[in-house]
Amino acid sequence: MAARPYRFLRRTLAVGCLLVAAALPAAPPTFPTDATDAPQATVVRMLQLNLCNSGRAGCYTGRAMTRAAEVITAEAPDLVTLNEICADDLPALHDVFETVHPGRTVVSAFQAAGDRPSGDDTRCRNGQRFGIGLLTHVPAPTSPRTVYAGTHPTQDLADPEERAWLCVDVDGALLACTTHLSATGYRVALTQCDHLLDTILPRISRHAGYEPTVLGGDLNLLAGHDPDVRACTPPGHQRIDDGRLQHITATTDITLCCRALVPMHGATDHPGLLVTLTIDRSRPGRRPS
């Protein structure tokens, strides 16, 4: 079931080398200012949204973008992970995000899902590329950030959509990631989850250096069911979910708290999942082997 097993490596190298300009989070600037300062905690408010905005799925309403803009305006998250969006949705939400973080540089990244029959990208009904995205803010336009992205090596061959993953490394402060796993094969979703958390993310850490890591997304897996999402959560990692399929997981140097479910008022079939991350750089995280 390993469709195009090395495609994610090619995309990782291509995107990592060519898109060193699309981005991710270094929440409010509370990092040490010189080497003698004691490590300080960084607090990041994170919002996970599945907007079901392809125009092809039964959950599509045409109202998800409007509601997403309202939620971002009201909650002012520092990091937003987005699933089931069209390519032009990201710059539209970028503009909204910019209004709630004046004085900061807003950065974004998008990764399309593959389309197996055509060998191209999956398309929304409006012809735009369909996939996943990230939004955050950084202190200045020159703040370093690197994008890593690719397609999961294992796919459900009954589904033409090839599921993708996306991570952004900002200034060595946080590796923030999102994915939307298989909805048609739950065992495939578990394999994708396991490979992302146990192989891809440690590979990025070995290449770029370890940093606290958070993953938000619609994993299409439940806790306490078979297969169980906890089976792919590395030891010591924290995890918060929306009671169903959306999850946020983090390395041991990040504390997750204060979960809130944000109503989407029927605009999409998932609530918004809002959590607070406290990154404690004095606590050791789970380093890659």
Side-chain angles (χ1 to χ4, degrees):
M1 301 192 63
R4 300 178 189 168
Y6 302 108
R7 183 173 178 182
F8 82 95
L9 286 174
R10 294 199 301 273
R11 288 195 178 186
T12 294
L13 291 173
V15 179
C17 292
L18 298 178
L19 296 187
V20 186
L24 220 243
T30 57
F31 296 108
T33 55
D34 63 58
T36 62
D37 289 340
Q40 300 177 28
T42 301
V43 177
V44 176
R45 298 183 75 243
M46 177 176 179
L47 175 66
Q48 156 63 25
L49 293 172
N50 182 327
L51 296 185
C52 190
N53 209 38
S54 71
R56 298 180 181 276
C59 52
Y60 174 75
T61 66
R63 297 183 287 108
M65 282 290 290
T66 298
R67 181 57 185 154
E70 292 171 349
V71 171
I72 290 172
T73 300
E75 300 294 346
D78 301 297
L79 165 64
V80 182
T81 50
L82 297 159
N83 297 162
E84 295 195 51
I85 61 171
C86 303
D88 286 357
D89 295 340
L90 193 63
L93 293 177
H94 178 288
D95 291 346
V96 176
F97 199 78
E98 196 167 45
T99 65
V100 298
H101 294 293
R104 305 282 289 185
T105 297
V106 175
V107 289
S108 59
F110 177 83
Q111 173 66 16
D115 178 66
R116 186 177 302 104
S118 69
D120 195 1
D121 296 327
T122 295
R123 298 283 169 170
C124 295
R125 188 172 63 182
N126 60 15
Q128 296 172 21
R129 294 181 300 150
F130 172 76
I132 56 179
L134 283 162
L135 282 167
T136 192
H137 58 85
V138 294
T142 55
S143 297
R145 60 263 196 184
T146 304
V147 176
Y148 302 91
T151 303
H152 291 285
T154 300
Q155 300 286 338
D156 184 354
L157 299 182
D159 181 4
E161 179 188 336
E162 295 183 321
R163 304 299 173 121
W165 57 271
L166 171 67
C167 294
V168 185
D169 168 4
V170 176
D171 201 18
L174 179 69
L175 182 68
C177 304
T178 188
T179 190
H180 181 211
L181 301 184
S182 174
T184 53
Y186 299 119
R187 294 289 173 187
V188 174
L190 186 67
T191 300
Q192 291 170 342
C193 177
D194 185 70
H195 190 261
L196 178 59
L197 288 168
D198 278 348
T199 300
I200 295 174
L201 300 190
R203 185 173 299 162
I204 293 172
S205 292
R206 287 193 295 270
H207 171 74
Y210 175 82
E211 56 197 340
T213 301
V214 63
L215 167 69
D218 182 352
L219 304 187
N220 278 308
L221 293 165
L222 293 164
H225 289 246
D226 184 21
D228 194 318
V229 67
R230 292 171 294 186
C232 71
T233 305
H237 277 47
Q238 294 193 46
R239 184 187 58 81
I240 284 179
D241 61 47
D242 65 354
R244 295 190 66 250
L245 304 176
Q246 293 183 111
H247 303 265
I248 293 173
T249 69
T251 48
T252 56
D253 40 12
I254 298 177
T255 300
L256 302 179
C257 79
C258 317
R259 182 194 79 157
L261 300 185
V262 183
M264 297 300 286
H265 303 317
T268 179
D269 60 340
H270 296 274
L273 176 58
L274 184 67
V275 302
T276 298
L277 319 179
T278 302
I279 306 169
D280 185 353
R281 302 184 71 82
S282 68
R283 293 175 55 193
R286 179 178 181 264
R287 268 62 176 177
S289 58

